[in-house]
Amino acid sequence: MELTRTVRVRLDPTPEQASALARTVEANRQALDYVSRVAFERRIRNAIALQRIVYRTIRTRFGLRAQMACTVCRTVAAVYKSMKSNGNTNALAKFKHAKPVFQWNKDYVLRSGLAHITTLDGRLRIPFRVEPPYRRYLQDGWIFGAAELVQKRHGWHLHVSVSKTMPDPVSDFDAVIGVDQGMRFLVTASCGDRVMFIRGGKVKQTRLRYVRLRASLQRKGTRSAKRRLKAIGRRESRFMTDVNHQIAKAVVRFAKAQGQRPLIVLEDLTGSNLSVRFRMKDQYWRMSWAFRQLSDFIRYKAEEAGIAVVTVDPTNTSETCPKCGHCEAANRSRKRHEFRCKKCGYRCNDDLAASRVIAQKGLEC
């Protein structure tokens, strides 16, 4: 099993180096648009055939280095192939916010605290920093791949792709952990009699403060209020991402404590919000929380720990008895947050019952 991650490397260029990076980004964007027009007009979708036609023009007109010129051709060809697979065959691909892609050991190298990057002005040596969460990917056998040059509000970054081959998780599981996601408890994880609840009350109150603040700024409608709205949106997004990271870490720690070969079972919540109706006061909270992001975080953190993850259909998980299998809507009381089976009398917290049913579905898979 191959794991792929993206490492964010912060660059600290001088003003002259930053200017060279900006010119390289713009030249790359113009080259992409030019090659895209050629590919569209001549109906070329093969990167090698496209390179034969446009390579010299890319080098002379836009000043890109050899490897970058080849990468431009591959990028355009890949975009048109993707558009074709999506049924969009008669549109011109445009690259308004394209990011240059550098190849490891050809266009860029990270060595001794310096990023060696190929630009229009030649090879630049730019100091870089890596934040603590990403430092582990710079060692322990991770292999560097392509990198994107990204300009953000606070400076320049390289988004570096790294990969590592991990042994496939064994199928002889000694613990199965069912994970239920909800509003009252963001996560309820269970393995037999061992249970972990992660409450969502404080998170919900924090997000409601953002809602009220946004409403106040929207009523003002001034330019400064609109700038503030954008800043608040970014802050709330960072808050949600941080919370989901913490929850995912807690779920993986809980799973590792249950056995040597655990299995995590998640609900497949893709599109589930579209078919479920909520009370008006819960709609923003339920519809906007990044449950898909949380599932992705749990999955990739579990993969790094060598823990297998499967997803199951969430249909009726909250209404099915984990003891006798009886399914009935009346089994669950949403007001009291209680599950009581109408057939066998089994009784427990409704989210706990759902997590146990999810674990059982995972075993059936």
Side-chain angles (χ1 to χ4, degrees), residues 225-333:
K226 292 178 181 178
R227 287 196 299 269
R228 183 65 175 160
L229 277 170
K230 290 183 179 180
I232 289 172
R234 291 190 292 265
R235 184 184 301 173
E236 185 178 11
S237 177
R238 291 194 300 269
F239 166 75
M240 293 168 62
T241 300
D242 181 63
V243 170
N244 280 338
H245 270 300
Q246 294 181 40
I247 294 173
K249 289 178 183 178
V251 170
V252 172
R253 282 198 302 267
F254 177 80
K256 291 172 70 174
Q258 308 312 311
Q260 297 294 323
R261 300 178 303 280
L263 168 69
I264 295 178
V265 187
L266 303 173
E267 294 175 289
D268 183 5
L269 297 177
T270 304
S272 62
N273 286 341
L274 301 178
S275 59
V276 180
R277 302 183 66 179
F278 306 99
R279 292 179 296 180
M280 182 62 70
K281 67 177 184 179
D282 289 332
Q283 281 187 359
Y284 174 79
W285 160 250
R286 178 66 180 185
M287 296 292 287
S288 65
W289 184 256
F291 287 109
R292 173 62 181 272
Q293 183 192 64
L294 175 57
S295 296
D296 290 343
F297 285 176
I298 293 174
R299 180 181 295 277
Y300 94 73
K301 291 180 188 297
E303 287 176 347
E304 285 189 13
I307 299 174
V309 179
V310 298
T311 56
V312 297
D313 184 1
T315 304
N316 297 327
T317 53
S318 298
E319 300 170 356
T320 302
C321 177
K323 186 175 182 180
C324 70
H326 174 66
C327 181
E328 183 181 345
N331 285 345
R332 183 186 185 188
S333 173

Side-chain angles (χ1 to χ4, degrees), residues 8 22 29 44 53 56 191 196 242 253 259:
R8 188 170 64 187
R29 186 194 65 78
I44 301 175
I53 297 173
R56 291 191 180 278
C191 179
M196 179 184 70
D242 181 63
R253 282 198 302 267

Side-chain angles (χ1 to χ4, degrees), residues 77-90:
V79 168
Y80 275 108
K81 287 180 181 179
S82 177
M83 292 171 63
K84 182 179 179 180
S85 65
N86 293 329
N88 187 8
T89 58
N90 297 316

